[in-house]
């Protein structure tokens, strides 16, 4: 009886040990179902890619006043999709001018050109940047090409996660996978606040080197695309383009005066403000934006 009790106790301890080990060792990430969608959102814990069946985006033809940067990003994305050399891209500048919309629209446009879904878009949230190596390991051997997209990327004081991004983009021992490109949007050209850069310059033993170490992150992006505040004419062109696309019929003079008043109350002119006016107009006209 004593031997049986000892065996039962040993078995219980082994079960407990196995449970503890299973908790300590993370489960292997499961292979995503790439056929489920052409766009995904990265969930770092437990390491899954959530399929997005309907992406929130606009047609690339509706992105007015950014034709130059639009064409540059399209060409870069097309080369990458064709297996040719292409650059990581940083879209920076004024708020509401279509930075993130352009990334999503360019992805859709390239897939539409090829009539395929071979180019996948994966969104990673800013707070999950440190999990990039885990994501890279998951998709490195996948038979697709991937745009890793981070919207509103920036780093604050005492934030060191930018070092993970630097290593993944170019500096790591493995480097960026051949089937991966990184697109990011930011209101800051160097991804860091001015006061953070100035603080480094004023407190470091070697100010130039301290600033260079942080600013060098943006240098990992070979393609810089600047977005600037639009003129009144550009803003009105955006409004007209949206109105025509959605079939909103209103006299030109009325639409012009209303759109300008709308931008005045918002204190700015941008693609976002133009679309917000269109939403208001469509609601008043009783039409759905489809």
């Amino acid at each position: 009886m004593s031997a049986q009790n000892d065996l039962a106790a040993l078995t219980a301890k082994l079960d407990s040990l196995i449970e503890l080990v299973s908790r300590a060792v993370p489960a292997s990430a499961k292979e995503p179902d790439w056929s489920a969608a052409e766009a995904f959102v990265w969930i770092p814990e437990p390491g899954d890619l959530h399929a997005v069946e309907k992406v929130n985006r606009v047609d690339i033809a509706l992105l007015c006043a950014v034709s130059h940067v639009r064409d540059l990003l399209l060409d870069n994305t097309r080369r990458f999709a064709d297996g040719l050399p292409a650059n990581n891209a940083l879209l920076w500048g004024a708020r509401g001018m279509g930075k993130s919309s352009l990334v999503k629209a360019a992805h859709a446009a390239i897939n539409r050109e090829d009539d395929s879904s071979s180019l996948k878009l994966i969104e990673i949230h800013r707070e999950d940047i440190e999990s990039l190596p885990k994501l890279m390991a998951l998709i490195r051997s996948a038979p697709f090409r991937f745009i890793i997209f981070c919207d509103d990327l920036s780093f604050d004081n005492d934030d060191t996660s930018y070092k993970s991004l630097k290593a993944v983009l170019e500096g790591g021992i493995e480097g960026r996978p051949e089937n991966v490109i990184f697109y990011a949007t930011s209101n800051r050209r160097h991804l860091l606040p001015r006061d953070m850069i100035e603080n480094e310059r004023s407190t470091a033993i070697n100010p130039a080197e301290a600033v260079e170490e942080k600013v060098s992150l943006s240098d990992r992006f070979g393609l810089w695309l600047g977005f600037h505040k639009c003129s009144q004419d550009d803003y009105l062109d955006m409004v007209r383009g949206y109105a025509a696309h959605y079939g909103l019929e209103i006299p030109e003079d009325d639409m012009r005066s209303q759109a300008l008043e709308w931008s005045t109350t918002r204190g700015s002119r941008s693609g976002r403000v133009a679309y917000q006016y269109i939403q208001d107009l469509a609601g008043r006209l009783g039409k759905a934006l489809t």
Side-chain angles (χ1 to χ4, degrees), residues 3-22:
Q4 290 179 344
N5 290 338
D6 291 343
L7 180 60
L10 179 60
T11 301
K13 290 180 179 180
L14 287 174
D15 289 341
S16 298
L17 179 60
I18 291 172
E19 183 179 355
L20 290 172
V21 171
S22 64

Side-chain angles (χ1 to χ4, degrees), residues 3-288:
Q4 290 179 344
N5 290 338
D6 291 343
L7 180 60
L10 179 60
T11 301
K13 290 180 179 180
L14 287 174
D15 289 341
S16 298
L17 179 60
I18 291 172
E19 183 179 355
L20 290 172
V21 171
S22 64
R23 291 179 184 177
V25 179
S28 299
K30 62 180 180 180
E31 181 69 19
D33 179 9
W34 298 119
S35 64
E38 63 178 27
F40 299 82
V41 175
W42 171 239
I43 311 297
E45 293 297 337
D48 289 338
L49 285 166
H50 171 69
V52 181
E53 296 181 5
K54 184 175 176 59
V55 179
N56 178 29
R57 59 187 170 206
V58 300
D59 190 274
I60 199 165
L62 292 175
L63 298 177
C64 304
V66 293
S67 58
H68 178 61
V69 292
R70 176 198 65 201
D71 293 344
L72 289 174
L73 189 68
L74 271 175
D75 289 343
N76 193 69
T77 308
R78 186 178 294 111
R79 288 195 296 270
F80 172 70
D82 291 341
L84 297 172
N87 278 305
N88 300 312
L90 174 63
L91 292 73
W92 66 276
R95 293 177 289 110
M97 283 304 296
K99 298 185 293 293
S100 60
S101 295
L102 179 56
V103 172
K104 292 180 286 186
H107 165 250
I110 297 304
N111 271 344
R112 192 163 56 242
E113 285 181 3
D114 296 338
D115 193 24
S116 71
S117 299
S118 59
L119 181 62
K120 304 295 183 180
L121 179 69
I122 299 178
E123 181 176 15
I124 182 171
H125 296 139
R126 155 67 189 86
E127 59 270 19
D128 298 328
I129 284 296
E130 286 186 324
S131 68
L132 262 174
K134 187 177 180 180
L135 173 58
M136 295 299 170
L138 180 63
I139 65 178
R140 184 180 294 271
S141 60
F144 296 95
R145 302 186 75 76
F146 300 92
I147 298 173
I148 306 300
F149 170 50
C150 185
D151 192 22
D152 197 20
L153 179 65
S154 61
F155 300 93
D156 297 318
N157 295 316
D158 301 323
D159 188 346
T160 59
S161 60
Y162 70 92
K163 295 182 180 180
S164 298
L165 179 56
K166 285 174 64 174
V168 167
L169 291 181
E170 281 187 18
I173 189 170
E174 289 186 300
R176 173 166 56 92
E178 184 273 336
N179 63 335
V180 171
I181 201 168
F182 196 91
Y183 286 178
T185 69
S186 178
N187 296 330
R188 303 166 178 167
R189 183 174 184 177
H190 290 297
L191 304 174
L192 305 170
R194 182 177 296 276
D195 62 340
M196 181 177 177
I197 296 176
E198 293 302 326
N199 182 63
E200 290 290 341
R201 183 176 283 117
S202 63
T203 60
I205 296 177
N206 190 327
E209 287 185 1
V211 172
E212 179 68 19
E213 199 272 335
K214 288 185 167 59
V215 172
S216 65
L217 171 60
S218 58
D219 291 340
R220 262 58 175 188
F221 295 89
L223 185 61
W224 285 11
L225 302 177
F227 290 69
H228 308 285
K229 294 180 179 180
C230 64
S231 65
Q232 177 175 294
D233 289 341
D234 287 336
Y235 168 72
L236 291 173
D237 285 343
M238 295 174 187
V239 170
R240 295 188 189 99
Y242 280 126
H245 179 76
Y246 293 115
L248 304 180
E249 298 181 359
I250 181 176
E252 168 69 19
D253 290 344
D254 290 347
M255 184 171 64
R256 175 186 172 87
S257 62
Q258 290 176 17
L260 291 178
E261 180 181 1
W262 185 272
S263 68
T264 300
T265 61
R266 301 303 179 278
S268 67
R269 293 188 296 262
S270 69
R272 180 179 297 144
V273 172
Y275 187 72
Q276 289 169 344
Y277 164 70
I278 289 297
Q279 286 182 304
D280 179 76
L281 175 61
R284 288 188 282 110
L285 294 178
K287 295 200 64 173

